[in-house]
Amino acid sequence: MRQGWLLFLAIVALGTAIAVFVWAGWWWPAILAAFGGGWLVATSRVMPSSHMRSRLAELERELAVAQQEAAVAAKAKSAFLAHVSHELHSPLMTILGYSELLLEDVQNGTAQTDQTITWLQRIYDSGKQLLELIDNMIVLARLEVGDIEVYHDRWSLGLLLDELEKTILPLAQQRHNRFAIDLEVDPAIIIEGDRAKIRQILLQLLHNATKFTQDGTITLRVSLKSSTEGSALLNLTVSDSGIGMSDDQLDLLFEPFTRFDEVLTPRYDGVGIGLALAQRLCLAIGGSIAVTSQPGKGTTFFVSIPVTPVSVSTSVER
């Protein structure tokens, strides 16, 4: 708009100058004014203003950033597809392999009870692994679009912790780790909150701790702090003495499909959605999550979730 006004004023000034020179009989100045004015008008059209030059430079910088982000996203997508393919392929091959062996034994009449039970257990475990991966990806996708419901059922804190211990302890022992639960609250207390999501948050954090800790210690600390009237904060701390993370890694920790162990991929399985899922579940139920870590010294996650403590004598909805 500003350039249009400048162009208009330049044309008016040019016309006025030529008219004055012609009226006065000064033809040579009139000719010079015409050529000079033409050059002025032409250059005013093609030479950008300082504001335009700044805006063009800004757009170029934004384009460069967008191209860099697109390249990073493309690389992450390729890595994700590779990891997912591996995570799906392994249990599927286990299921197909043992199913084929069972089918042959049944057809040949050579099936043995103990061996059959072992093979069926491996098929079952692989099926559970596949189902867990698919479920996690579905839940993460729903969380990304805000399509998630929050439930307020009543449950025993002690029973939930017992269930977690039975699940995590064998995994910790496989890597020669010690697993401990440090309680600062009565385990018999009944809590009202979203049990399924709290359980999944803890499972993701504890699985992560067992995966990256060898010959160390994994600790789950649980406390309950009163906040407003009738409600409280369920504080959960998951700490390990594992490999830890750098500050740069912490900045990307909760990004989906992010893995920091590309060189060590055969050693650490997973597609990189566990911590992203834990963070989004925590936020979905009104909680918060933070993390501290040092390379070689371990990692600690701090989770706070609003819940409602209920009298122990109150019936529990299952």
Side-chain angles (χ1 to χ4, degrees):
M1 186 69 180
R2 182 182 176 185
Q3 283 189 324
W5 276 107
L6 290 175
L7 179 61
F8 173 76
L9 292 175
I11 294 173
V12 171
L14 172 62
T16 303
I18 293 174
V20 169
F21 289 142
V22 171
W23 177 78
W26 299 343
W27 292 100
W28 284 107
I31 294 172
L32 291 175
F35 279 100
W39 177 84
L40 175 63
V41 172
T43 54
S44 68
R45 292 182 178 180
V46 299
M47 292 184 63
S49 66
S50 59
H51 174 72
M52 288 185 63
R53 287 194 295 269
S54 299
R55 181 55 182 156
L56 286 172
E58 183 180 351
L59 289 174
E60 289 176 355
R61 288 192 296 269
E62 291 177 357
L63 178 60
V65 171
Q67 289 175 334
Q68 184 177 4
E69 291 177 349
V72 172
K75 183 179 179 181
K77 179 182 177 182
S78 299
F80 162 68
L81 291 174
H83 296 321
V84 168
S85 298
H86 170 73
E87 293 298 317
L88 292 175
H89 183 268
S90 297
L92 277 174
M93 289 301 295
T94 300
I95 291 171
L96 292 174
Y98 283 110
S99 297
E100 184 178 0
L101 290 174
L102 282 171
L103 182 61
E104 290 178 356
D105 281 357
V106 170
Q107 289 175 340
N108 297 332
T110 58
Q112 300 178 13
T113 303
D114 292 342
Q115 187 179 58
T116 299
I117 292 174
T118 300
W119 290 351
L120 286 173
Q121 184 63 50
R122 290 176 181 174
I123 291 173
Y124 176 75
D125 291 341
S126 297
K128 282 185 63 178
Q129 182 182 345
L130 274 177
L131 182 61
E132 181 181 358
L133 173 60
I134 294 170
D135 281 346
N136 286 344
M137 294 177 66
I138 291 174
V139 172
L140 182 61
R142 293 180 61 187
L143 285 166
E144 291 289 345
V145 298
D147 180 23
I148 201 76
E149 292 186 36
V150 178
Y151 299 97
H152 299 280
D153 41 355
R154 293 179 178 179
W155 42 276
S156 165
L157 178 62
L159 290 178
L160 174 62
L161 296 177
D162 288 343
E163 182 181 327
L164 288 170
E165 185 175 24
K166 290 177 182 177
T167 302
I168 297 300
L169 187 58
L171 299 176
Q173 291 175 342
Q174 286 177 7
R175 299 181 64 82
H176 308 288
N177 293 314
R178 176 178 174 270
F179 176 57
I181 297 179
D182 184 5
L183 279 176
E184 299 177 10
V185 61
D186 185 355
I189 192 171
I190 303 302
I191 288 178
E192 184 176 298
D194 198 320
R195 183 186 192 276
K197 292 182 180 60
I198 293 174
R199 175 183 178 275
Q200 194 165 11
I201 291 168
L202 285 173
L203 278 177
Q204 297 297 339
L205 297 180
L206 290 169
H207 273 299
N208 186 77
T210 58
K211 183 189 300 185
F212 294 102
T213 305
Q214 178 78 36
D215 299 315
T217 301
I218 299 164
T219 304
L220 169 61
R221 294 183 178 86
V222 183
S223 65
L224 199 63
K225 181 180 180 181
S226 298
S227 54
T228 59
E229 184 178 354
S231 64
L233 285 177
L234 180 62
N235 295 318
L236 308 165
T237 304
V238 177
S239 59
D240 65 65
S241 57
I243 62 175
M245 290 173 284
S246 66
D247 291 340
D248 291 339
Q249 290 173 332
L250 288 176
D251 290 339
L252 300 173
L253 185 62
F254 296 119
E255 293 296 323
F257 316 121
T258 299
R259 287 165 52 98
F260 305 123
D261 54 288
E262 300 300 331
V263 177
L264 303 175
T265 297
R267 183 178 173 187
Y268 301 121
D269 294 330
V271 296
I273 64 175
L275 295 180
L277 182 60
Q279 184 221 29
R280 284 155 177 76
L281 283 171
C282 189
L283 296 178
I285 57 178
S288 63
I289 184 169
V291 58
T292 61
S293 186
Q294 283 186 292
K297 295 186 178 181
T299 302
T300 301
F301 288 91
F302 305 92
V303 176
S304 291
I305 299 172
V307 296
T308 302
V310 183
S311 172
V312 176
S313 61
T314 305
S315 61
V316 180
E317 297 177 7
R318 298 186 182 276

